[in-house]
Amino acid sequence: MKKKVLIVILTCILLIGIIIIVSYAVGGKKPFKDLEPSEIVSATVRLTPPDTTIQIEEIEELTRYLNDVVIYNEDNSYTEYSGQGVIFTLRLSDGTQTEVMGYNPFFVIDGVGYKTEYEPCQALSAYANRLLNDENEQ
């Protein structure tokens, strides 16, 4: 009887371990989840097309969009796609510069492409286009 209970307990522990490993491997990561607006000294966005660069004034709003981005496995096949890319250049308070591109269904960080969750990347792209429209209205 004790042997059966021990086997059931060990089987449950093994299954829980497998579930944790699979969820970690398959689950997405948020590379900018801890990014704070105070860490960004300046930011620009370049939209291609139309190949226009805009200085971003509302760092807090940009940070909220970046915090939500979810990436999955590395995938550089974004180079085979056509469409509009929104390229954000972030100058950070630690002196580094990071370039990220929203290019649904991809998100590119310093030249390395990843599959991404659709909605947050689409929101980032819509944000960049809203900045472009605001710029054109002025």
Side-chain angles (χ1 to χ4, degrees):
M1 183 73 166
K2 289 182 182 181
K3 229 179 191 183
K4 286 183 181 181
V5 172
L6 183 61
I7 290 173
V8 169
I9 291 173
L10 289 175
T11 303
C12 289
I13 291 172
L14 180 64
L15 286 174
I16 290 171
I18 290 172
I19 290 170
I20 290 171
I21 290 170
V22 168
S23 67
Y24 178 76
V26 175
K29 297 173 185 68
K30 289 186 168 188
F32 296 102
K33 73 176 180 177
D34 296 326
L35 183 67
E36 295 290 331
S38 61
E39 296 177 73
I40 301 175
V41 174
S42 69
T44 60
V45 61
R46 188 173 83 235
L47 294 91
T48 57
D51 199 26
T52 301
T53 301
I54 300 166
Q55 183 70 38
I56 299 174
E57 303 299 328
E58 295 294 325
I59 300 297
E60 294 81 13
E61 186 175 7
L62 170 62
T63 306
R64 283 194 307 270
Y65 288 116
L66 290 172
N67 291 158
D68 291 340
V69 170
V70 177
I71 60 172
Y72 298 101
N73 56 313
E74 187 175 322
D75 185 342
N76 285 315
S77 66
Y78 70 91
T79 59
E80 300 168 12
Y81 282 69
S82 61
Q84 184 188 48
V86 292
I87 304 161
F88 294 87
T89 302
L90 311 173
R91 286 175 183 64
L92 304 177
S93 58
D94 66 2
T96 61
Q97 179 174 305
T98 300
E99 188 173 270
V100 297
M101 177 172 64
Y103 194 59
N104 246 338
F106 301 97
F107 191 73
V108 183
I109 304 171
D110 292 327
V112 180
Y114 300 90
K115 284 286 195 172
T116 187
E117 192 171 287
Y118 180 83
E119 290 81 9
C121 193
Q122 181 60 34
L124 195 57
S125 181
Y127 167 67
N129 279 286
R130 194 171 64 248
L131 292 174
L132 177 65
N133 290 338
D134 292 349
E135 180 90 359
N136 289 337
E137 289 175 2
Q138 291 178 354

